Amino acid sequence: MQPEALFTISNGLYVLSARREDGYFAGSLIDAVCQVAANPDFVMISCMNSSYTKEVVEQTGEFALSVLPQDIDPLTVGIFGFQSSRTVNKWAAIDGMELDGMMYVRQALSKIRCQVTESLEYPSNTVFFAKVVDACDCRSGEPLTYKMYRDGFKNKVM
């Protein structure tokens, strides 16, 4: 088995955000997002079970996605990818924006709000299926892919 073969699957990089009942915003970097249905639109995301943001999504049943552009500040990727919302208010360190009660990365190519309809838990990750309740195609540009991240963008983050 060559696990590197899985790195050739085309994925983007996204900031997943969720709002606790007390108003605190959690957030994490994810790469496993896929549109799985249209009319109505549904997406599927996968979160590591150790993720605090995943816990907040489970508690509230909703989340937001910021589609990251290729020109995103590497600091944004580092903050959301290498820290925990349990101990760090990630949104205080980046240019974020609240829209209809959810938090997004201001520079995002698009902003997508979803409501969870079901989930499946695996040993390492939980997969959420969610209905898209709002979406904004905010700016032009190309999305940052996981391959681009692994091929050099990660060096800028580090």
Side-chain angles (χ1 to χ4, degrees), residues 16-21 45 53-64 102 113-119 128-133:
L16 168 69
S17 64
R19 182 180 184 160
R20 288 191 322 212
E21 290 180 9
I45 66 168
T53 306
K54 175 248 180 198
E55 290 178 26
V56 177
V57 170
E58 284 179 321
Q59 292 166 7
T60 63
E62 63 181 348
F63 61 85
M102 294 300 274
R113 184 180 184 141
C114 303
Q115 288 191 323
V116 175
T117 58
E118 59 185 293
S119 63
F128 294 101
F129 295 89
K131 182 177 181 179
V132 175
V133 295

Side-chain angles (χ1 to χ4, degrees), residues 5-6 11-12 38 42 54 56 65 67 75 77 89 91 101 112 114 137 141 143:
L6 298 176
N11 292 321
F42 274 82
K54 175 248 180 198
V56 177
L65 293 168
V67 179
L75 182 61
V77 174
N89 179 356
W91 295 100
I112 304 166
C114 303
D137 185 15

Side-chain angles (χ1 to χ4, degrees), residues 26-106:
S28 61
L29 189 71
I30 64 172
D31 66 349
V33 175
C34 180
Q35 182 178 353
V36 294
N39 262 347
D41 295 308
F42 274 82
V43 296
M44 175 186 69
I45 66 168
S46 180
C47 302
M48 292 182 1
N49 288 333
S50 60
S51 166
Y52 182 68
T53 306
K54 175 248 180 198
E55 290 178 26
V56 177
V57 170
E58 284 179 321
Q59 292 166 7
T60 63
E62 63 181 348
F63 61 85
L65 293 168
S66 296
V67 179
L68 299 182
Q70 290 178 11
D71 63 354
I72 191 71
D73 182 348
L75 182 61
T76 299
V77 174
I79 287 169
F80 286 99
F82 295 104
Q83 299 183 68
S84 173
S85 291
R86 277 187 183 90
T87 57
V88 175
N89 179 356
K90 299 176 185 184
W91 295 100
I94 66 123
D95 188 16
M97 64 177 287
E98 188 174 342
L99 180 64
D100 295 327
M102 294 300 274
M103 192 64 86
Y104 299 90
V105 175
R106 188 175 307 275

Side-chain angles (χ1 to χ4, degrees), residues 3-15:
E4 297 80 18
L6 298 176
F7 296 151
T8 64
I9 295 172
S10 180
N11 292 321
L13 285 182
Y14 309 84
V15 169

